[in-house]
Amino acid sequence: MANPDFESLIEALTREDDFDYVALLQSQEEQTPFIFFAPTNEAFEALMEEIKMGSIDEISKDDLEAILKYHIVPKTDFNDYDSILTTLETGKITMLFYDWEGYVWRDVNNREGYVNRGYIATNGNIYSVDKVLLPDLSEDSEIGFKDITTLLLADPDFEMLIEAFTLDKSFDYLEYLESEVDPAPFTVFAPTNEAFEALLKELELESLRDILVKSWCVMILWIIIIGLMKVIA
């Protein structure tokens, strides 16, 4: 795979860990034909930003092995939507539908992306993907998905949203959005600081507290949509 679009993938596959991915993907035997979902350089860059790491070298051996094996599907091919593929990591990848950009995949963490260009190999097929697929990693993993409250608190672009949530003392929005049980999962339409600044300008108000004084804090309730987007496992 001497394609410059996959330099980051080659770096991950050839890192000095215990598992020999190159030998596996060159195999012509038991588990072939493979489907190999190949993340582009841009996909790895996006992953590093998503998991707040600086480089592939910061990903632990166990996590990297799980992630790479999750991109390898043995003894199979797909040619239709609504396929459920079982990977070497024993996780599932759901192929949802096809549109003009390609097949849409969904991993076990309900992240979605596109399967794009395909390459035919002697022992299977390679499909370029626009994101790195993530399996269900162990509880000890340094890579994990945070609850909504944690993600909002960590992002300075949502400081005014946090202020809005905490102004109304009648309901603890932040505690509510930490929940991972019913009625979760939530969909949150999260206005940025710029969005709130534009709102204040439009309403000719100085601060979010002015909205509370005018009893307009009911707007916060519309941010949280409960149970409307139940994810198909």
Side-chain angles (χ1 to χ4, degrees), residues 173 187-189 216-225:
Y173 297 96
T187 296
V188 176
F189 297 100
W216 289 358
C217 62
V218 70
M219 58 172 274
I220 297 178
L221 296 176
W222 292 99
I223 295 173
I224 307 174
I225 307 300

Side-chain angles (χ1 to χ4, degrees), residues 138-202:
S138 71
E139 293 183 359
D140 297 329
S141 171
E142 296 178 2
I143 300 173
F145 294 97
K146 310 299 183 182
D147 61 77
I148 290 172
T149 293
T150 301
L151 290 173
L152 291 176
L153 287 170
D155 193 329
D157 286 339
F158 297 115
E159 288 177 352
M160 293 187 73
L161 176 60
I162 297 301
E163 180 186 352
F165 279 145
T166 54
L167 277 174
D168 181 9
K169 304 301 183 183
S170 66
F171 188 81
D172 193 335
Y173 297 96
L174 296 181
E175 181 179 356
Y176 188 72
L177 291 172
E178 287 178 337
S179 175
E180 296 183 2
V181 297
D182 190 65
F186 305 107
T187 296
V188 176
F189 297 100
T192 61
N193 298 336
E194 289 185 1
F196 275 110
E197 288 166 0
L199 175 65
L200 292 175
K201 183 177 181 180
E202 181 181 351

Side-chain angles (χ1 to χ4, degrees), residues 12 53 58 75 88 91 95 128 145 152 219:
M53 290 186 178
E58 294 182 32
K75 292 185 178 180
L88 277 182
M95 310 308 299
S128 169
F145 294 97
L152 291 176
M219 58 172 274

Side-chain angles (χ1 to χ4, degrees), residues 41-195:
N41 299 333
E42 290 78 7
F44 274 101
E45 289 172 6
L47 176 67
M48 295 300 102
E49 182 174 347
E50 181 179 359
I51 63 178
K52 310 300 182 188
M53 290 186 178
S55 70
I56 293 171
D57 287 337
E58 294 182 32
I59 302 176
S60 72
K61 179 178 72 70
D62 290 342
D63 283 346
L64 185 62
E65 180 174 336
I67 290 169
L68 292 175
K69 284 184 177 180
Y70 190 58
H71 289 73
I72 303 171
V73 183
K75 292 185 178 180
T76 190
D77 196 356
F78 73 90
N79 54 16
D80 199 2
Y81 59 86
D82 288 339
S83 300
I84 298 179
L85 308 177
T86 301
T87 73
L88 277 182
E89 182 57 21
T90 69
K92 305 291 185 181
I93 301 172
T94 304
M95 310 308 299
L96 296 177
F97 56 84
Y98 184 85
D99 67 15
W100 66 276
E101 291 193 49
Y103 281 93
V104 175
W105 56 259
R106 176 181 291 156
D107 66 21
V108 294
N109 296 291
N110 298 312
R111 298 161 66 258
E112 294 181 358
Y114 279 102
V115 176
N116 298 313
R117 185 176 178 182
Y119 303 84
I120 299 174
T122 58
N123 59 348
N125 293 284
I126 301 168
Y127 294 97
S128 169
V129 289
D130 62 344
K131 291 182 182 178
V132 176
L133 288 68
L134 291 179
D136 187 10
L137 298 169
S138 71
E139 293 183 359
D140 297 329
S141 171
E142 296 178 2
I143 300 173
F145 294 97
K146 310 299 183 182
D147 61 77
I148 290 172
T149 293
T150 301
L151 290 173
L152 291 176
L153 287 170
D155 193 329
D157 286 339
F158 297 115
E159 288 177 352
M160 293 187 73
L161 176 60
I162 297 301
E163 180 186 352
F165 279 145
T166 54
L167 277 174
D168 181 9
K169 304 301 183 183
S170 66
F171 188 81
D172 193 335
Y173 297 96
L174 296 181
E175 181 179 356
Y176 188 72
L177 291 172
E178 287 178 337
S179 175
E180 296 183 2
V181 297
D182 190 65
F186 305 107
T187 296
V188 176
F189 297 100
T192 61
N193 298 336
E194 289 185 1

Side-chain angles (χ1 to χ4, degrees), residues 196-212:
F196 275 110
E197 288 166 0
L199 175 65
L200 292 175
K201 183 177 181 180
E202 181 181 351
L203 298 176
E204 298 182 348
L205 297 173
E206 294 295 326
S207 69
L208 293 176
R209 186 169 295 277
D210 293 337
I211 299 177
L212 183 64

